Amino acid sequence: MLEIKNVHAGYGKLKILRGINLSVPKGKIIALLGGNGTGKSTLLKTISGLLPLMEGSIEFDGQILDKKKPHEIVKAGLVQVTQSKESYPAMTVEENLMVGSYVRNDRHGVQQDLEKIYEFFPILKTRRKTLSGTLSGGEVQMLVIGRGLMANPKMLMLDEPSAALAPKVVLEIFSNIYKISQTGVTILIVEQNVRMALLLAEYGYIIRDGVIMLEGKSDNLIHDSSVRESFLGGTVADTSRELSA
Amino acid sequence: MEFDFNSLFAFIIFGVTIGVVYGMVALGISLIYSGLDIVHFAHGEIYMFGAFFGLVLAKDMSIPYPAALIGAMILAGLMGMLIERVFYRRLTRSGGGYTVAGMGMIICGFGMSVALMNVAFLIWGADAEPFSIDLGMPLQIADIYIPQSYLLTAVVSFALMGLLHFFLKYTKIGLAVRAVAQNKDIAYLMGINVPVFISLIFGLACALAAAAGVLIGPMQSVQVEMGYLMLMKAFAAAVVGGFGSLPGALLGGILVGIFENLGAAYISPSHKDIYAFLLLILVLMIRPSGLFGIEAKVKA
């Protein structure tokens, strides 16, 4: 569904990504993993059209996205959900969700999807008239995922949904992401929480210094010695121990 | 001497009337500030142009006053969109607010202010033009006579602001405007064509300033230098209300209007223009973020 070929991109003259190749098949969950400052978010911004492409090409659902503007890419059905805590704090929960449906003109479908999202995340329904600035971190994460879904996307790109959240909340969010993928939405998940992401995804890419260092099936990556060395250090191991408890 | 409550009441009514007009210009400044992260220093001149547009439409072309008001708003809105597209966009694209580019934007705003004033001078000359419209006899409530133009101003201003509120709160486009004002990157990612909306915000703000100009016209007169003092007072109103807060801008405007009228009536009429800034200083001393400062932090 999404084909990224030899993508070079960055900020101004500063090149961050140096030849990324990545492919996300339809209906699957794919993980992009890496630490801080490795180019994960830069890649997402480039795919979404917020950053210009210096070289290479991006194809989504049969369309070339290279020169497309961000709003055209959303209309094509590719929606990015940025890192948590980026809701519209001065708007209510429901207004936030409605912003997500901006590209759509089917009033009836929007209303149906709103109900569907409230079913996914019941907490959002109970708080739908409150300002989203007062939500907890986990609730905001649910809200921004819900907002992304309101665009009725073919594919969702999630930027670090586990960031700054308690392990229990992370588990809840991830199980919801799995449910979303079961409804037919293709998902690219970008994470630092390598173990959790690999449990969810079928296939993973590991990015470092703007290049894909390693890729493979999740099972293989989890047991790869270099992945263990680079990522599965103290904190991640602790997290997973806590989760299995 | 017995205190005359009737005249106090009259001064307050006049204060509110002029205040909502300040509020409208302040609202525009606040809208632009939330939408573009810049303080628009040429907004007073947009107000002045709006007043002249209204004058030309109503007097030279004999269009009825209400139609002239709408016409002036549309013309000024288009003019604002043109100015934003041609001059401001390259500067705002590289960031506003407290960045170096934001500084450039402030200077550009001042430059635009001088340029617009000179353009107006070339077209209409330096003389103050009377903008008289016949609205009939003043309205009498108890012992107070209120000129119809004041009444009209208050009604039209409140109606326009109510309309703006409804637009921002209950329409899809209004929701998108708020989304752009609060966070442009996310608005982009939600499929909103942000540059178009920035243009729209600018046009709306300029249309409001024009409405203020056409409403003030019949009370005072129309001349090329009228923008400067209006900008300063609207600015004071926006800061008093809390910069970036839309209800704050309206309330700040009304407060400035009342304060100014009471000061002129009971302290000294020759220093009428000082009181707005006195209020500004007082509010900033007690609440540096303005009366609605908390809302200002999250914008619009």
Side-chain angles (χ1 to χ4, degrees):
Chain A
M1 175 153 258
L2 180 71
E3 291 293 335
I4 295 171
K5 290 200 185 97
N6 189 33
V7 160
H8 293 247
Y11 300 86
K13 284 188 177 137
L14 180 70
K15 195 186 261 190
I16 309 270
L17 303 176
R18 295 169 296 153
I20 300 276
N21 290 292
L22 190 148
S23 130
V24 182
K26 194 172 175 143
K28 305 276 192 224
I29 304 181
I30 302 299
L32 174 67
L33 311 161
N36 278 324
T38 50
K40 301 188 306 292
S41 295
T42 309
L43 180 59
L44 284 198
K45 281 185 187 164
T46 309
I47 299 171
S48 290
L50 289 177
L51 289 175
L53 202 59
M54 292 172 180
E55 221 185 300
S57 82
I58 300 171
E59 192 187 323
F60 173 74
D61 201 23
Q63 299 182 50
I64 306 292
L65 300 186
D66 299 4
K67 293 252 182 289
K68 286 227 157 73
K69 302 230 166 66
H71 63 98
E72 295 167 336
I73 292 170
V74 174
K75 278 203 184 100
L78 178 55
V79 172
Q80 181 189 342
V81 174
T82 55
Q83 282 194 40
S84 55
K85 295 185 181 64
E86 289 209 301
S87 70
Y88 291 112
M91 287 187 198
T92 65
V93 167
E94 190 151 305
E95 284 175 333
N96 263 280
L97 292 171
M98 290 314 284
V99 173
S101 72
Y102 175 77
V103 288
R104 301 170 62 180
N105 291 315
D106 54 328
R107 211 173 262 253
H108 191 65
V110 168
Q111 211 53 43
Q112 272 180 344
D113 278 2
L114 191 65
E115 288 308 318
K116 221 163 72 189
I117 282 152
Y118 285 148
E119 261 170 55
F120 262 125
F121 305 109
I123 185 79
L124 295 183
K125 185 163 193 177
T126 59
R127 312 206 55 177
R128 66 180 210 266
K129 295 282 173 213
T130 47
L131 294 184
S132 71
T134 64
L135 298 184
S136 73
E139 289 163 354
V140 172
Q141 186 59 57
M142 294 177 200
L143 175 60
V144 294
I145 292 175
R147 189 175 60 192
L149 284 174
M150 283 300 285
N152 195 17
K154 292 177 187 144
M155 178 175 160
L156 209 55
M157 299 188 289
L158 302 164
D159 195 357
E160 296 201 31
S162 79
L165 294 179
K168 219 175 143 185
V169 181
V170 172
L171 196 62
E172 196 188 337
I173 300 270
F174 273 52
S175 77
N176 276 311
I177 294 172
Y178 180 73
K179 275 195 240 161
I180 289 164
S181 91
Q182 292 298 300
T183 66
V185 180
T186 308
I187 286 173
L188 174 65
I189 180 167
V190 172
E191 264 297 343
Q192 292 200 46
N193 190 338
V194 170
R195 182 161 305 219
M196 279 301 287
L198 286 178
L199 283 177
L200 185 70
E202 279 181 41
Y203 197 89
Y205 292 83
I206 293 180
I207 185 172
R208 184 187 250 178
D209 295 334
V211 292
I212 298 291
M213 194 183 88
L214 194 68
E215 63 176 281
K217 285 214 163 93
S218 297
D219 292 343
N220 300 342
L221 286 179
I222 276 187
H223 297 108
D224 189 280
S225 60
S226 66
V227 174
R228 282 177 168 272
E229 255 172 54
S230 316
F231 297 108
L232 304 181
T235 53
V236 182
D238 284 348
T239 311
S240 56
R241 202 176 305 137
E242 222 167 302
L243 283 171
S244 56
Chain B
M1 198 175 81
E2 203 179 320
F3 188 77
D4 182 3
F5 279 100
N6 269 336
S7 56
L8 173 71
F9 186 60
F11 291 134
I12 289 178
I13 287 188
F14 292 156
V16 171
T17 309
I18 194 85
V20 284
V21 178
Y22 293 156
M24 264 203 299
V25 181
L27 202 62
I29 293 174
S30 258
L31 258 179
I32 293 177
Y33 175 73
S34 348
L36 288 82
D37 289 320
I38 59 166
V39 179
H40 188 219
F41 283 102
H43 216 59
E45 274 59 45
I46 303 284
Y47 155 81
M48 175 265 290
F49 261 87
F52 270 110
F53 287 149
L55 185 69
V56 169
L57 289 174
K59 273 181 93 177
D60 300 351
M61 301 171 74
S62 316
I63 292 171
Y65 183 70
L69 175 76
I70 294 167
M73 285 176 74
I74 291 170
L75 283 174
L78 291 176
M79 182 177 130
M81 284 160 108
L82 186 76
I83 290 173
E84 189 273 328
R85 182 67 194 87
V86 177
F87 298 102
Y88 294 162
R89 188 164 294 178
R90 337 165 167 262
L91 281 161
T92 49
R93 208 164 30 198
S94 47
Y98 304 108
T99 59
V100 178
M103 193 64 218
M105 193 53 233
I106 287 172
I107 294 164
C108 183
F110 274 123
M112 185 56 65
S113 159
V114 174
L116 287 178
M117 212 191 301
N118 281 289
V119 170
F121 175 76
L122 284 175
I123 303 174
W124 293 295
D127 294 336
E129 308 256 352
F131 188 164
S132 52
I133 45 161
D134 187 18
L135 292 165
M137 293 296 287
L139 211 71
Q140 189 185 2
I141 304 171
D143 285 340
I144 310 162
Y145 289 94
I146 302 168
Q148 295 268 26
S149 61
Y150 277 69
L151 214 63
L152 179 81
T153 301
V155 169
V156 171
S157 307
F158 277 117
L160 280 176
M161 291 205 215
L163 218 63
L164 183 71
H165 176 78
F166 177 84
F167 166 70
L168 289 177
K169 190 85 190 161
Y170 298 108
T171 67
K172 187 176 165 183
I173 304 288
L175 187 68
V177 167
R178 283 193 290 152
V180 170
Q182 283 185 39
N183 190 326
K184 282 181 230 1
D185 275 355
I186 300 202
Y188 263 127
L189 292 177
M190 291 294 104
I192 296 168
N193 192 347
V194 175
V196 167
F197 272 85
I198 285 180
S199 244
L200 179 70
I201 289 172
F202 212 87
L204 262 178
C206 290
L208 281 175
V214 179
L215 288 170
I216 286 278
M219 294 187 211
Q220 299 166 0
S221 56
V222 180
Q223 55 145 332
V224 291
E225 282 171 355
M226 70 195 278
Y228 164 75
L229 208 56
M230 176 51 98
L231 175 78
M232 285 301 163
K233 286 185 186 164
F235 207 74
V239 175
V240 163
F243 223 95
S245 155
L246 302 189
L250 173 60
L251 230 86
I254 292 176
L255 277 177
V256 167
I258 294 176
F259 206 76
E260 179 177 279
N261 262 279
L262 292 184
Y266 294 111
I267 304 172
S268 148
S270 56
H271 297 102
K272 188 165 182 261
D273 293 329
I274 291 177
Y275 303 115
F277 307 106
L278 203 63
L279 178 68
L280 174 70
I281 291 166
L282 278 176
V283 168
L284 287 183
M285 274 164 69
I286 300 161
R287 273 191 74 107
S289 53
L291 296 175
F292 287 75
I294 298 157
E295 283 174 62
K297 264 179 215 151
V298 291
K299 281 186 177 179

